[in-house]
Amino acid sequence: MRIPAAARPAPLIELRRVYKYYQMGDERIAALRGISLRIQPGEFAAIWGPSGSGKSTLCNLVGLLDTPSSGTVHLEGQDVTTLADDRRSEVRNRAIGFVFQGFNLIPVLSALENVMLPLQIAGTSASLARLRALERLGEVGLAPHTAHRPAKLSGGQQQRVAIARALVADPVLVIADEPTANLDSENAANIIDLMRQLNEEHGTTFIFSTHDQRLLERVGRQVLMRDGEIADERTLEQPKTSQVATLRP
Ligand SMILES: Nc1ncnc2c1ncn2[C@@H]1O[C@H](COP(=O)(O)OP(=O)(O)OP(=O)(O)O)[C@@H](O)[C@H]1O
Ligand SMILES: [Mg+2]
């Protein structure tokens, strides 16, 4: 049975026949080759694949950090492919939070100041930014560590600060490119479970990439990349985090 278009939920993000080429001297590298993908609001999706399969390129396009060579990217129904760079940056700053492999915290700032920063850049008062940042740091289990600089925190704790920072301005989407690559397997699993818990509590859509197949058992929506193409896609029933997560600060 066909579902009428009006009854279908609008995707949060949609890629249509996206190609991305990189020029390396005389060589043209096809990093993405005809990707079509829809992510619905509230999904928790993993992009998995071997090194060089195009995961980062895909994250950069979905996160509006880069534009395709051809094809289109729609965010909340708006074609963002044709936007001028400054307009695309505006949309990105409003709608998307980022978590990086290397945590990317500012070393001279405390955990609290790192999390406050995006709000302060957006013009929020220091007192409100502080309140919001403390709330987020509490949610990621770091209430006792708000005054610490990144160097005083473990890798897992630093990544939690980065997650709090990504969420502090209430984005609709969080993109995390290999957020667990610098963590041991226990901390990696804890970070994925934490992101899932926040996804369930706030309804924020999460897309993260990984080359670690073991993490996929924690994720319902799986996009498997190979040689710049989607080799397989799965949507499995996902156990609630309460059944898998054991978070400790
Ligand atoms: N800036 C760039 N210039 C040239 N080639 C690039 C660039 N970025 C990526 N590539 C190439 O595009 C292809 C896809 O790279 P991408 O970084 O997206 O893969 P990946 O799946 O994220 O790999 P990894 O697991 O190693 O992070 C690779 O062949 C890579 O060498
Ligand atoms: Mg990568």
Side-chain angles (χ1 to χ4, degrees):
M1 195 181 72
R2 279 179 66 83
I3 300 171
R8 265 180 245 143
L12 177 69
I13 194 114
E14 180 172 14
L15 275 64
R16 294 185 198 154
R17 293 180 297 280
V18 162
Y19 288 77
K20 181 69 183 181
Y21 300 104
Y22 294 111
Q23 198 68 37
M24 290 277 283
D26 289 344
E27 204 189 343
R28 191 174 77 151
I29 296 160
L32 296 179
R33 301 190 290 168
I35 299 280
S36 293
L37 179 67
R38 288 170 157 221
I39 302 287
Q40 301 297 339
E43 277 201 284
F44 188 78
I47 299 167
W48 175 73
S51 184
S53 60
K55 302 181 298 295
S56 293
T57 306
L58 184 55
C59 284
N60 291 343
L61 291 179
V62 171
L64 314 192
L65 292 167
D66 203 357
T67 51
S69 306
S70 70
T72 57
V73 179
H74 287 73
L75 178 73
E76 296 178 313
Q78 181 186 18
D79 184 351
V80 287
T81 330
T82 51
L83 290 180
D85 287 351
D86 55 342
R87 283 284 302 125
R88 193 177 321 101
S89 302
E90 269 173 45
V91 174
R92 184 175 63 233
N93 292 339
R94 174 182 57 76
I96 306 178
F98 292 90
V99 177
F100 301 96
Q101 176 174 338
F103 319 134
N104 294 22
L105 300 174
I106 297 177
V108 295
L109 299 183
S110 69
L112 176 62
E113 290 162 341
N114 266 283
V115 178
M116 286 170 65
L117 199 58
L119 291 176
Q120 292 190 285
I121 289 170
T124 307
S125 70
S127 55
L128 186 58
R130 194 184 150 80
L131 271 178
R132 292 260 163 84
L134 285 171
E135 194 182 333
R136 290 306 195 203
L137 283 163
E139 282 178 341
V140 302
L142 286 182
H145 301 284
T146 56
H148 294 171
R149 288 186 180 186
K152 298 269 184 232
L153 300 171
S154 71
Q157 288 172 331
Q158 287 184 55
Q159 197 58 306
R160 290 190 207 188
V161 175
I163 290 169
R165 181 182 59 184
L167 284 165
V168 78
D170 291 325
V172 289
L173 174 65
V174 171
I175 305 281
D177 188 12
E178 299 265 9
T180 64
N182 288 332
L183 302 176
D184 61 55
S185 56
E186 187 186 336
N187 273 304
N190 282 338
I191 285 294
I192 300 304
D193 289 341
L194 172 64
M195 294 200 305
R196 276 195 42 196
Q197 201 172 52
L198 294 164
N199 157 260
E200 283 170 18
E201 283 170 13
H202 297 284
T204 313
T205 307
F206 278 76
I207 300 174
F208 77 98
S209 76
T210 182
H211 58 265
D212 185 351
Q213 195 170 9
R214 286 170 304 179
L215 293 173
L216 294 183
E217 69 188 39
R218 318 179 98 76
V219 184
R221 179 83 192 272
Q222 302 173 4
V223 178
L224 312 181
M225 298 285 296
R226 193 176 302 133
D227 293 335
E229 294 183 304
I230 295 179
D232 195 6
E233 252 191 286
R234 293 173 200 170
T235 306
L236 310 170
E237 197 173 335
Q238 184 165 281
K240 290 278 171 207
T241 47
S242 53
Q243 291 163 349
V244 288
T246 44
L247 290 172
R248 288 183 303 275

